[in-house]
Amino acid sequence: MLRLGVNIDHVATIRNARGTPWPDPLRAARIAEQAGADGITAHLREDRRHISDADIDALMADLRLPLNLEMAATAEMQQIALRHRPHAVCLVPEKREERTTEGGLDVAGNESYLAKYIAPLRDAGSRVSLFIGHEPDQIRAAARIGAAVVELHTGAYCDLDTEGRHADRDAELRGLRDGAALAASLGLEVHAGHGLTFDTVGPIAAIPEIAELNIGHFLIAESVFIGLGDAIREMRRCMDKART
């Protein structure tokens, strides 16, 4: 079955806007588990704009679902991951001025550094995932350096759909399909995520090589109107319908 990882970052964004303890990301993770999520994703940014170190401590202590820790490939983040040893570590590009992650990691341009960087994470028992675009050279580089997983960036596909640029959207979807097939042929597990909604998730969920989707912002936004549990259950329904 196609797995669903729920990203709880923006629960922390709302909390931090007022500087109160509410809403609690750990509570959101528990609701996600009850609603059928298969894992929890949390992005510990260098500037701590949403998820905090204390959130990671609480998730690791109390969470029963696997934790996917998203982070930049920095020495500080590596030490945090080695201390906690989460189920998975997903390396993403990060710029201080960006609102959200823009594009995929340049693995092909940083093979030597990333190969050395991920080795101790892998030895500590975390599955290492690389958040990348669907370009063949990036996928092949991910396989060469020993990553277990690639997560394909679906943001461009979702943006093109929102803008009504359907021909460009369909071309991007073909690229994602081809990328998923290539990654699987190289022995990589394939995940996907970024910007997915009820309307855009179907064609991505239908790609047979994809084993997991990681979805966050839309679910948190939709929960304002229908509740987080119902938003997750509806996303699961959309995913399962597309896969079957």
Side-chain angles (χ1 to χ4, degrees):
M1 186 176 69
L2 180 62
R3 300 190 301 270
L4 172 60
V6 174
N7 188 319
I8 58 171
D9 289 0
H10 294 291
V11 175
T13 301
I14 298 169
R15 175 195 64 192
N16 296 352
R18 288 293 295 270
T20 71
W22 310 286
D24 180 10
L26 179 59
R27 183 179 178 187
R30 290 170 176 156
I31 292 170
E33 180 178 17
Q34 294 167 1
D38 300 292
I40 298 298
T41 293
H43 184 174
L44 185 64
R45 283 180 170 269
E46 292 181 86
D47 62 7
R48 308 303 199 269
R49 70 176 65 170
H50 34 60
I51 292 295
S52 69
D53 297 75
D55 292 329
I56 300 299
D57 292 341
L59 289 166
M60 287 299 303
D62 294 343
L63 190 65
R64 289 182 293 182
L65 291 177
L67 177 64
N68 174 34
L69 177 59
E70 286 190 352
M71 65 185 207
T74 67
E76 179 200 19
M77 292 297 155
Q78 186 187 58
Q79 289 306 306
I80 291 170
L82 290 173
R83 183 168 71 250
H84 287 294
R85 300 190 179 195
H87 169 76
V89 171
C90 182
L91 299 182
V92 302
E94 186 174 312
K95 294 186 292 186
R96 294 291 178 97
E97 66 274 17
E98 69 187 2
R99 287 184 296 176
T100 185
T101 306
E102 300 172 352
L105 197 66
D106 181 12
V107 185
N110 297 279
E111 276 195 54
S112 178
Y113 174 78
L114 289 172
K116 293 176 183 176
Y117 188 90
I118 71 173
L121 299 171
R122 190 176 56 232
D123 293 344
S126 293
R127 300 192 76 205
V128 178
S129 173
L130 303 177
F131 188 70
I132 62 173
H134 55 69
E135 299 84 359
D137 60 332
Q138 300 294 347
I139 295 169
R140 293 191 179 99
R144 283 195 298 269
I145 69 171
V149 181
V150 290
E151 181 167 340
L152 300 181
H153 187 344
T154 56
Y157 155 77
C158 294
D159 289 344
L160 291 166
D161 182 80
T162 300
E163 295 164 8
R165 298 166 55 188
H166 294 160
D168 292 336
R169 175 203 62 190
D170 293 345
E172 181 67 14
L173 180 60
R174 287 192 294 273
L176 290 165
R177 288 172 177 156
D178 292 344
L182 174 61
S185 75
L186 295 172
L188 294 162
E189 184 170 301
V190 186
H191 300 177
H194 201 82
L196 293 169
T197 69
F198 297 150
D199 294 329
T200 57
V201 73
I204 301 298
I207 298 173
E209 293 85 3
I210 292 178
E212 180 175 303
L213 298 179
N214 285 298
I215 305 174
H217 182 263
F218 175 79
L219 291 175
I220 304 308
E222 194 67 13
S223 72
V224 172
F225 304 105
I226 65 173
L228 182 57
D230 283 347
I232 291 169
R233 282 185 281 271
E234 177 60 15
M235 184 62 75
R236 169 72 77 185
R237 188 194 68 79
C238 294
M239 290 165 53
D240 292 346
K241 179 181 178 181
R243 181 54 65 94
T244 57

